[in-house]
Amino acid sequence: MCGIIGYIGGRSSTPILLEGLQQLEYRGYDSAGIAVLSPGGLIGIRKSVGKLHNLVSMVESDPVDGTLGIGHTRWATHGEPSKVNAHPQVDCRGDLVVIHNGIVENYLELKRRLVANGHVFASQTDTEVLPHLIEEELLCGVDLAEATRRALTKIAGSHAVVVLSRHEPERIITARIGNAGGVVVGYGEGEMFIASDLPAILKHTRSMAFLENREMAAIERNGVTYYSLDGTRTQKSPQAVPYDPISAAKGGYRHYMLKEIMEQPRSVTDAIRGRVSFEPPSVLLEDLPFSETELRDLRKVTIVACGTSWHAGLVGKYMIEQLAHLPVEVDYASEFRYRHALIDESTLLVSITQSGETVDTLAAMELAKERHVKQITICNVIGSQATRLADGVIYLRAGPEIGVASTKAFTSQVVVLYLLGIYLGQARGTIAQSDLGNLVDDLAHLPDLIGTLLSKDNHYEALADQLYTAHDCLYLGRGINYPIALEGALKLKEISYIHAEGYPAGEMKHGPIALIDRDLPIIAIAPRDGVYDKMVSNIEQVKSRHGTVIALATEGDSNLDAKADHVIHIPQTTSSLLTPVLTIIPLQLLAYHMAIRRGCDVDQPRNLAKSVTVE
Ligand code: AGP
């Protein structure tokens, strides 16, 4: 996902742009650039490949400055990472520049026509058709806003666009089409800001407005005019965003990922806060706009998500089916959007998305909206596109998750799904009042139990010392901990680049058992629950074939102490439904320490972006 920033005001724009891009670097980074309109009326452009510090060094040695500018960090979709392919992209005469997030799906036919009309292209990007299209429209004598609007009606796909012209130094034009990434408008005193998301401009303002789909804005030093893409004016008021930019800093930890893992007692507490009554025991989800009758009439829940959020959805399936007696299907959003999904008025669609900007998840939500299906989203980012698409939002309240590998968002997603399961069960009369007390009490102890696990980090680090040279790892789990096997494997592979697979332990004999040898570490998640005996049997099968077993076992389980090569102890919870919030903690830290030992960039792993806004 690319990062976008813009500034118009009375201050020097260059430091504001560079600092803002540094806040956005986690979104995607293989090149970066800025364009600044100098007092002399020329546009100065600086672009670099690789991490942002390369651009900062370039600007230090070859300064560019003015009070109007735009900037971009790029995660390449068309055209290799290179200076010429970095944004901003320019028109023929260097009079206007464009930065862009998304994919111009019909760029080839547009490019052919533009070249036939004499336009000269420099890059291999799809984005470059935009400045040339706008340039064509300007020749018709319209202003920059109208020329941009007309150009945008000619392109297919989802886009977030920012345009700057030397001929209109008093404004910046921006627009959003589809779900390629949001556009935030920041309001200051005699200055205005644009960003693809909040952290880039939070230092300067907390008064923000968010462009809707097919909406654009002409931003000037003292105000902004909003339009729909059909040209009609629209009204929009800024909202105050409660946000603490300091918490987005690393807080003394070596990496964002470690900070966010260690924050989980607090983030889980915040996910619960205000949503649970302990006496009498009950769960209240204030933002869900459905009546008890509507909840009773539901016949199915469909969960759509990607990556780690999809793993949380798999855990949620076990919770909602057990607590609310509702069938739950869990779909990869990228699959859901292309199959003939059987959803209707008796379905509740639940999307799970930390960023609220994942293009596949947003597309699945759009599909449900077109089918008039009730939907809620479980999301972490205020004002993100998912929160504006759903009928109701359950915020994670986990604070900014900067590390590309999702950790605290995952545990908060699972806790919110547990709350949702109880909430639905209450409405549908499927939970005995006597059980409600235990279900709610378990939540009260959860943050402390997480803290207990975190305090044993040196144990997981010592284990990482023995495992980090592995070429492959196999994670096994059953029941509600099968998704934890998947999530533990994803954590390891995405930050350490070790091939890792998660598997339902019962499937061992249908294939994976052939992989077992002395070089294959097997992480077996075996808390004392309804499938414990089966897990022990799987562990014995592995040991009989000389495999190395790292078992996650309930505290006091001496049986596994004798069978496994290494044992990680997990505190006992009353309800087995919440063990996933605990069993994932050691696996997050194990992956982190193994990746560090392999010299990997855990906060910005290769090829990955924090939020995937292009297919
Ligand atoms: C998880 O560690 C990954 N970063 C990735 O799988 C992520 O969970 C996925 O891209 C979904 O993102 P979202 O929750 O923001 O929609």
Side-chain angles (χ1 to χ4, degrees), residues 15-35:
I16 294 171
L17 299 177
L18 293 175
E19 195 176 287
L21 290 180
Q22 278 163 338
Q23 296 299 322
L24 294 175
E25 195 173 10
Y26 69 89
R27 287 166 65 101
Y29 46 87
D30 50 41
S31 53
I34 62 171

Side-chain angles (χ1 to χ4, degrees), residues 23 42 61 85 99 149 160 167 180 225 230 241 250 277 305 332 368-369 443 461 497 512 540 562:
Q23 296 299 322
L42 295 177
S61 57
N85 288 338
I99 56 178
R149 188 192 70 77
H167 297 308
T225 308
D230 64 13
V241 172
K250 290 182 186 175
S277 158
Y332 279 120
K369 199 173 185 79
L443 281 170
E461 188 169 5
Y497 315 145
E540 288 165 343

Side-chain angles (χ1 to χ4, degrees), residues 306-309 352-358 361 404-406 413 487 490-491 494 609-612:
C306 300
T308 283
S309 299
I352 306 173
T353 169
Q354 187 285 131
S355 63
E357 300 291 349
T358 299
T361 305
V404 166
S406 187
Q413 286 166 348
E487 175 59 13
L490 175 60
K491 285 290 92 50
E494 69 176 329
K610 182 58 182 173
S611 176
V612 181

Side-chain angles (χ1 to χ4, degrees), residues 166-420:
R166 59 191 289 266
H167 297 308
E168 294 196 26
E170 66 282 2
R171 68 179 58 82
I172 300 177
I173 308 299
T174 185
R176 195 202 121 202
I177 302 175
N179 303 319
V183 176
V184 183
V185 176
Y187 291 67
E189 295 296 324
E191 57 185 18
M192 296 288 285
F193 305 83
I194 298 168
S196 37
D197 64 6
L198 305 175
I201 55 177
L202 272 164
K203 177 182 175 184
H204 307 292
T205 177
R206 296 188 191 179
S207 177
M208 313 268 187
F210 304 89
L211 287 197
E212 299 298 331
N213 181 14
R214 304 190 69 75
E215 189 170 34
M216 59 188 294
I219 297 169
E220 301 186 358
R221 283 169 176 77
N222 291 304
V224 49
T225 308
Y226 294 100
Y227 310 83
S228 66
L229 216 56
D230 64 13
T232 53
R233 297 280 292 269
T234 57
Q235 292 303 320
K236 192 181 286 291
S237 303
Q239 54 184 296
V241 172
Y243 210 107
D244 162 17
I246 307 302
S247 69
K250 290 182 186 175
Y253 288 97
R254 186 176 168 195
H255 297 101
Y256 283 113
M257 183 179 176
L258 184 57
K259 167 177 172 281
E260 288 149 13
I261 290 171
M262 294 300 175
E263 281 179 342
Q264 290 178 103
R266 180 195 58 71
S267 50
V268 162
T269 300
D270 290 344
I272 297 166
R273 190 192 311 281
R275 293 167 171 165
V276 175
S277 158
F278 293 97
E279 191 52 47
S282 72
V283 163
L284 175 64
L285 295 176
E286 65 286 357
D287 291 342
L288 299 191
F290 308 123
S291 67
E292 193 162 286
T293 305
E294 286 176 305
L295 296 178
R296 284 180 178 277
D297 291 346
L298 291 175
R299 291 292 168 267
K300 176 171 77 169
V301 169
T302 295
I303 295 175
V304 293
C306 300
T308 283
S309 299
W310 182 76
H311 296 151
L314 290 176
V315 177
K317 172 185 172 71
Y318 287 92
M319 293 174 161
I320 296 169
E321 288 186 341
Q322 179 173 322
L323 295 168
H325 300 181
L326 260 175
V328 178
E329 62 178 7
V330 185
D331 232 329
Y332 279 120
S334 55
E335 288 296 313
F336 177 84
R337 61 185 294 200
Y338 295 116
R339 71 178 175 84
H340 183 73
L342 299 177
I343 53 175
D344 59 26
E345 70 286 343
S346 70
T347 305
L348 175 65
L349 186 107
V350 179
S351 56
I352 306 173
T353 169
Q354 187 285 131
S355 63
E357 300 291 349
T358 299
V359 64
D360 287 318
T361 305
L362 294 172
M365 295 174 73
E366 298 264 14
L367 178 66
K369 199 173 185 79
E370 287 160 16
R371 307 266 286 273
H372 308 295
V373 171
K374 288 183 278 295
Q375 63 171 301
I376 63 174
T377 189
I378 298 173
C379 185
N380 194 37
V381 177
I382 294 169
S384 60
Q385 295 182 71
T387 63
R388 299 203 299 282
L389 257 176
D391 303 314
V393 184
I394 309 178
Y395 279 110
L396 297 180
R397 306 174 185 159
E401 185 177 72
I402 307 299
V404 166
S406 187
T407 51
K408 64 177 180 176
F410 175 74
T411 46
S412 293
Q413 286 166 348
V414 171
V415 167
V416 164
L417 285 160
Y418 181 79
L419 294 171
L420 179 61

Side-chain angles (χ1 to χ4, degrees), residues 381-578:
V381 177
I382 294 169
S384 60
Q385 295 182 71
T387 63
R388 299 203 299 282
L389 257 176
D391 303 314
V393 184
I394 309 178
Y395 279 110
L396 297 180
R397 306 174 185 159
E401 185 177 72
I402 307 299
V404 166
S406 187
T407 51
K408 64 177 180 176
F410 175 74
T411 46
S412 293
Q413 286 166 348
V414 171
V415 167
V416 164
L417 285 160
Y418 181 79
L419 294 171
L420 179 61
I422 296 173
Y423 183 75
L424 292 171
Q426 286 171 172
R428 299 167 58 84
T430 53
I431 300 177
Q433 193 62 28
S434 58
D435 293 339
L436 213 42
N438 289 334
L439 289 169
V440 162
D441 285 348
D442 260 1
L443 281 170
H445 305 310
L446 205 51
D448 288 346
L449 297 179
I450 294 170
T452 302
L453 288 166
L454 294 173
S455 68
K456 298 176 182 174
D457 184 27
N458 56 337
H459 177 41
Y460 317 135
E461 188 169 5
L463 192 51
D465 278 337
Q466 301 181 52
L467 299 178
Y468 78 96
T469 57
H471 294 287
D472 302 279
C473 278
L474 179 60
Y475 291 70
L476 299 176
R478 282 180 181 256
I480 201 167
N481 280 294
Y482 158 48
I484 301 305
L486 297 175
E487 175 59 13
L490 175 60
K491 285 290 92 50
L492 183 66
K493 78 178 83 168
E494 69 176 329
I495 63 173
S496 73
Y497 315 145
I498 294 172
H499 171 250
E501 272 190 271
Y503 240 92
E507 277 296 297
M508 268 257 290
K509 52 191 171 301
H510 299 286
I513 203 163
L515 294 171
I516 294 172
D517 61 24
R518 298 179 194 283
D519 300 327
L520 177 73
I522 299 209
I523 291 90
I525 305 164
R528 283 240 186 246
D529 58 13
V531 289
Y532 171 76
D533 292 339
K534 300 294 181 186
M535 280 305 299
V536 172
S537 164
N538 289 127
I539 290 169
E540 288 165 343
Q541 290 165 26
V542 172
K543 289 307 298 169
S544 66
R545 291 166 177 79
H546 313 299
T548 302
V549 173
I550 298 92
L552 274 66
T554 302
E555 273 164 1
D557 180 356
S558 55
N559 175 38
L560 281 183
D561 288 345
K563 293 181 187 299
D565 300 277
H566 307 278
V567 179
I568 293 172
H569 287 110
I570 306 293
Q572 177 72 50
T573 59
T574 311
S575 159
S576 63
L577 289 177
L578 284 173

